[in-house]
């Protein structure tokens, strides 16, 4: 199956990624990727962008080289499931992803605490997606996470970079990713196949996830970014929900 969108990419603004927005769009165009979300790290990431970065994303065109650009963030999940951007800033963005990262100031210590923080983060009405829910450094009780994702209509990610042969450290655990696939099927939770690109040529690179595509549990209908129109449908519904929320405040 060919997926021609990518909901998790980083630019130079993240501090440890190496392409500009323009280069990312060109890179996506060259690879036939029609839609990308720019999800730079939240401000608590060392070298990460200032809040002004997120406040000013409106200046970036919605389309570059024919590639639709979704303006988002990969926020950091902190203690008690707090994110490192406040609600006013999150309200300005098209797409909010979040994950637990090291050196971002949280004091979460064990699997129970990681799981609780992720579940609490999912209660944030702006949150769309949990990045790399399978990772060696911050293991989660997956069934609890998947149930909470079903309740809060949050997307869970299958992260290609976690299995990239280029990386000197494999973040993922294949058996856990397969378990996530099975649980998502059981609880009808949306998944996203994303690259987590930190350079333009990594956009849409999903071959490290072949073990997922080949699994008997793989179900295309659960992949929210299986086509640009499915992403756009999702975002339209999301915006309706968010606008209601803004009016009620
Ligand atoms: Zn991440
Ligand atoms: Zn990332």
């Amino acid at each position: 199956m060919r997926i021609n969108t990518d909901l998790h990419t980083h630019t130079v603004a993240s501090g440890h990624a190496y392409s500009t927005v323009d280069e990312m769009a060109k890179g996506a165009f060259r690879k036939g990727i029609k839609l990308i979300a720019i999800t730079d790290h939240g401000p608590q990431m060392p070298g990460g962008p200032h809040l002004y970065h997120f406040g000013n994303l409106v200046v970036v065109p919605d389309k570059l080289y024919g590639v639709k650009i979704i303006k988002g963030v990969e926020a950091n999940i902190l203690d008690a499931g707090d994110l490192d951007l406040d609600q006013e800033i999150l309200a300005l963005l098209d797409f909010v992803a979040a994950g637990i990262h090291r050196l971002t100031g949280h004091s979460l210590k064990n699997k129970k605490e990681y799981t609780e923080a992720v579940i609490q983060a999912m209660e944030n009405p702006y949150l769309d997606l949990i990045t790399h829910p399978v990772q060696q450094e911050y293991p989660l009780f997956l069934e609890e996470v998947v149930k909470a994702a079903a309740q809060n209509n949050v997307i869970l990610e299958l992260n290609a970079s976690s299995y990239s042969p280029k990386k000197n450290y494999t973040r993922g655990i294949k058996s856990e990713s397969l378990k996530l696939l099975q649980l998502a099927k059981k609880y009808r939770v949306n998944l996203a196949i994303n690259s987590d690109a930190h350079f333009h040529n990594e956009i849409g690179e999903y071959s490290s996830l072949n073990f997922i595509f080949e699994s008997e549990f793989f179900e295309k209908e659960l992949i929210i970014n299986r086509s640009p129109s499915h992403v756009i449908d999702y975002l339209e519904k999301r915006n309706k929900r968010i606008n209601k929320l803004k009016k009620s405040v």
Side-chain angles (χ1 to χ4, degrees):
M1 141 176 219
R2 169 97 173 100
I3 292 170
N4 60 359
T5 74
D6 196 335
L7 294 177
H8 184 175
T9 72
H10 296 273
T11 74
V12 280
S14 280
H16 59 274
Y18 310 94
S19 304
T20 62
V21 174
D22 197 80
E23 288 162 347
M24 295 298 274
K26 259 188 220 160
F29 167 73
R30 276 198 294 269
K31 302 189 87 168
I33 302 296
K34 312 283 185 206
L35 176 151
I36 60 171
I38 300 286
T39 51
D40 281 306
H41 285 289
Q44 285 287 108
M45 174 65 67
H50 188 269
L51 285 178
Y52 285 10
H53 166 89
F54 300 100
N56 203 31
L57 274 173
V58 282
V59 305
V60 175
D62 294 328
K63 221 171 204 189
L64 273 169
Y65 310 103
V67 176
K68 177 123 179 81
I69 310 290
I70 308 296
K71 295 150 201 173
V73 62
E74 182 184 16
N76 293 298
I77 297 178
L78 307 174
D79 294 351
D82 286 344
L83 302 182
D84 59 343
L85 292 140
D86 59 28
Q87 301 298 88
E88 289 76 41
I89 300 280
L90 295 178
L92 302 172
L93 301 174
D94 300 329
F95 189 73
V96 176
I100 306 181
H101 300 94
R102 63 162 77 179
L103 303 174
T104 52
H106 67 72
S107 55
L108 305 166
K109 286 185 296 293
N110 54 48
K111 191 166 175 176
K112 186 169 169 282
E113 290 184 8
Y114 309 147
T115 303
E116 280 169 4
V118 165
I119 289 175
Q120 281 171 313
M122 281 198 245
E123 283 167 21
N124 189 319
Y126 291 108
L127 187 81
D128 294 288
L129 175 138
I130 296 291
T131 56
H132 39 70
V134 172
Q135 57 171 326
Q136 294 191 18
E137 191 173 12
Y138 298 109
L140 302 175
F141 290 106
L142 284 181
E143 187 148 11
E144 289 177 34
V145 168
V146 172
K147 277 189 198 166
Q151 252 168 30
N152 294 293
N153 197 24
V154 168
I155 307 162
L156 298 176
E157 180 182 67
L158 294 160
N159 181 291
S161 148
S162 295
Y163 298 99
S164 166
K166 267 200 309 200
K167 294 267 166 92
N168 48 15
Y169 156 73
T170 304
R171 177 168 58 188
I173 308 162
K174 282 191 177 177
S175 58
E176 286 288 289
S177 285
L178 288 167
K179 190 166 142 196
L180 176 65
L181 198 62
Q182 268 173 275
L183 288 167
K185 199 175 162 89
K186 180 173 169 193
Y187 293 101
R188 309 313 296 164
V189 165
N190 285 317
L191 297 169
I193 303 272
N194 294 328
S195 71
D196 200 358
H198 285 64
F199 192 67
H200 65 74
N201 69 352
E202 294 179 332
I203 295 172
E205 269 309 316
Y206 302 134
S207 55
S208 65
L209 292 176
N210 279 345
F211 72 100
I212 293 287
F213 300 125
E214 288 159 8
S215 160
E216 59 178 307
F217 303 109
F218 183 74
E219 196 182 320
K220 194 175 149 188
E221 282 62 40
L222 290 181
I223 309 299
I224 198 86
N225 63 324
R226 63 192 181 276
S227 77
S229 64
H230 286 100
V231 175
I232 289 161
D233 279 359
Y234 168 81
L235 292 174
E236 278 173 5
K237 282 189 201 129
R238 177 224 200 251
N239 288 341
K240 272 188 202 152
R241 184 168 50 80
I242 298 281
N243 286 337
K244 256 191 224 162
L245 184 83
K246 282 185 194 161
K247 273 182 207 143
S248 69
V249 172

